[in-house]
Amino acid sequence: MTFRFIHTSDLHLGTKFANIPEPPDGSIRGRLREARHGAIARIAAAARAQGAADILVAGDTFDTPTPSLPVVRQAIAAMAEDSGLRWWLLPGNHDNLREAEPLWDMIAREAPGNVRCLTAPEPVSLSPEATLLPCPVEWRSSGADATEALVTMPSDEGTLRIGLAHGAVTDFTDEGANVPPDRDRSARLDYLALGDWHGRMQIGPRVHYPGSPEQDRFKHGRRGVCLAVGIDGLGAAPRVEEIETGSFLWQDLDLPLTPRQDAAAALLDLLPAEARRDRLVRVNATGWAGLPEQAELKRAADRIGPEFAHFELRTGALQTQYELADLDEIDRGGALRLAADALMTEAGGETLSREDREVAADALARLYAYVKEARQ
């Protein structure tokens, strides 16, 4: 028979999203936290649709070792709503076994029977067809490879060997290997369910990261997913299907501009037209634009930005094309013109640092925009 399960990781319940500025209405961080909690129900729905009874969470269920009591209680209550699904929770680096020992003790003591804590590197029988081999993270920065235990960890004879671990594979950083990319072969695994990387990634046919089910950064450019995995028997290649679980889309968009181009129109053409309330967008303007075009670009961004969950226009890499006529619009003489000339000189000065030149260019663009607005 085909053994089916759901592989997810990095829910990071309780994340505060301090890196996202709050708008005046103060709503976005709360919406992001609520979406992260809501991923529990979406993962459960995916399990039911796939006929899977087991949900393997490969670490970092919680964002810290000391999440608030409501975060923990509400998560457990959401997982308990369908007693036909079993949630297998592995301590990761954020909710590691030692720092979060009271958390895991409380869950083990008070959670319903369908929520299981995997706090020991010991095999667990999932069914007559499959054995789960968990590798809980003991310390956040131990530098050890928790999956090494998989090589000698036993399993019931004739059952699938499914590893569950949290950590980085060699290619992710220059700091050296944590999880060898061939661990599935050295430990004779039918599947290795990994967590830690927040984007979807396949290391090999039997080694996968699902990424966070609800994204929390601009890096990955797609909504979060969980993985529906089916294995037909010993030696069979896993069949892995991505199921979208994310409600918010984080997008990093490039806006290359050329001199005299209608920068505002280019911005509007670039932006998605639908579901703006559920998108966090960061636009990176590059190339060249004159002072009038930059002023129009900023006005367009200020006008359209509030339609998105979060909107940010970055102009640090945008070069300014200076025209004397544009400086004349600021002032033909006097203090404003002296300030404009000085800023233009600094923006093009070879002796200044790149950061100082960017500050001067931005200040000149702002001065132009302020003067124009005051005269309208």
Side-chain angles (χ1 to χ4, degrees):
M1 292 179 61
T2 299
F3 182 72
R4 304 179 190 279
F5 60 94
I6 296 295
H7 172 199
T8 188
S9 72
D10 297 279
L11 277 74
H12 285 274
L13 300 172
T15 299
K16 298 184 183 302
F17 293 100
N19 60 319
I20 299 297
E22 280 281 37
D25 65 3
S27 66
I28 183 56
R29 293 179 186 172
R31 290 185 63 212
L32 291 171
R33 288 192 292 270
E34 185 59 29
R36 191 157 290 274
H37 173 83
I40 296 172
R42 295 190 289 275
I43 294 167
R48 287 189 292 269
Q50 295 293 319
D54 294 287
I55 299 170
L56 312 186
V57 183
D60 286 356
T61 303
F62 301 98
D63 190 55
T64 72
T66 56
S68 70
L69 188 60
V71 166
V72 179
R73 296 279 192 179
Q74 290 168 19
I76 293 173
M79 294 174 185
E81 288 183 5
D82 188 339
S83 60
L85 300 177
R86 293 185 298 183
W87 292 78
W88 301 93
L89 308 183
L90 183 81
N93 61 328
H94 279 252
D95 50 13
N96 64 84
L97 195 54
R98 294 306 169 214
E99 291 179 283
E101 188 172 358
L103 166 68
W104 294 114
D105 286 347
M106 184 191 77
I107 295 176
R109 184 176 61 251
E110 301 181 12
N114 72 319
V115 180
R116 312 285 184 87
C117 302
L118 300 167
T119 55
E122 300 171 351
V124 177
S125 178
L126 294 178
S127 75
E129 296 84 28
T131 300
L132 180 62
L133 309 175
C135 302
V137 175
E138 189 168 358
W139 299 100
R140 176 160 188 168
S141 302
S142 67
D145 170 22
T147 69
E148 189 174 352
L150 292 171
V151 176
T152 57
M153 196 178 298
S155 57
D156 295 337
E157 186 175 352
T159 64
L160 300 170
R161 289 173 58 84
I162 300 174
L164 182 65
H166 187 90
V169 172
T170 308
D171 294 339
F172 291 175
T173 70
D174 296 326
E175 298 173 1
N178 287 323
V179 178
D182 63 347
R183 179 59 80 201
D184 59 315
R185 295 190 291 276
S186 63
R188 309 171 313 285
L189 300 177
D190 294 280
Y191 186 87
L192 178 54
L194 290 176
D196 188 41
W197 186 246
H198 285 205
R200 167 74 176 108
M201 182 174 290
Q202 177 177 339
I203 304 301
R206 301 178 186 275
V207 183
H208 294 261
Y209 287 91
S212 176
E214 185 66 52
Q215 285 299 310
D216 55 9
R217 61 194 68 185
F218 291 101
K219 187 171 186 176
H220 303 295
R222 60 177 296 188
R223 286 186 170 86
V225 303
C226 69
L227 302 181
V229 183
I231 307 177
D232 293 332
L234 292 173
R239 290 178 285 102
V240 181
E241 178 184 350
E242 299 176 3
I243 300 178
E244 190 172 280
T245 51
S247 55
F248 282 93
L249 178 60
W250 298 59
Q251 290 182 288
D252 226 343
L253 303 177
D254 292 327
L255 179 65
L257 298 172
T258 57
R260 303 187 184 281
Q261 181 182 2
D262 188 331
L267 173 64
L268 298 181
D269 289 342
L270 175 69
L271 294 176
E274 71 285 345
R276 287 178 168 178
R277 188 172 185 270
D278 296 328
R279 295 177 188 258
L280 293 89
V281 173
R282 190 167 63 185
V283 176
N284 302 292
T286 60
W288 293 83
L291 291 174
E293 289 75 28
Q294 291 192 34
E296 289 298 323
L297 177 63
K298 185 179 183 306
R299 277 195 287 270
D302 291 342
R303 185 174 63 253
I304 205 72
E307 296 182 13
F308 292 85
H310 169 78
F311 185 88
E312 181 181 351
L313 174 65
R314 292 184 162 190
T315 58
L318 181 62
Q319 304 295 312
T320 303
Q321 183 184 44
Y322 299 105
E323 302 281 353
L324 289 178
D326 298 334
L327 298 185
D328 287 342
E329 289 193 55
I330 295 175
D331 201 351
R332 291 182 177 275
L336 285 179
R337 181 53 181 264
L338 289 174
D341 288 341
L343 288 172
M344 185 178 70
T345 300
E346 291 182 8
E350 296 297 330
T351 60
L352 297 178
S353 68
R354 177 179 176 180
E355 182 179 355
D356 288 341
R357 293 197 302 271
E358 289 176 357
V359 169
D362 182 66
L364 181 54
R366 289 174 182 270
L367 176 61
Y368 178 88
Y370 293 153
V371 171
K372 292 287 287 186
E373 289 173 7
R375 292 174 179 171
Q376 289 178 352

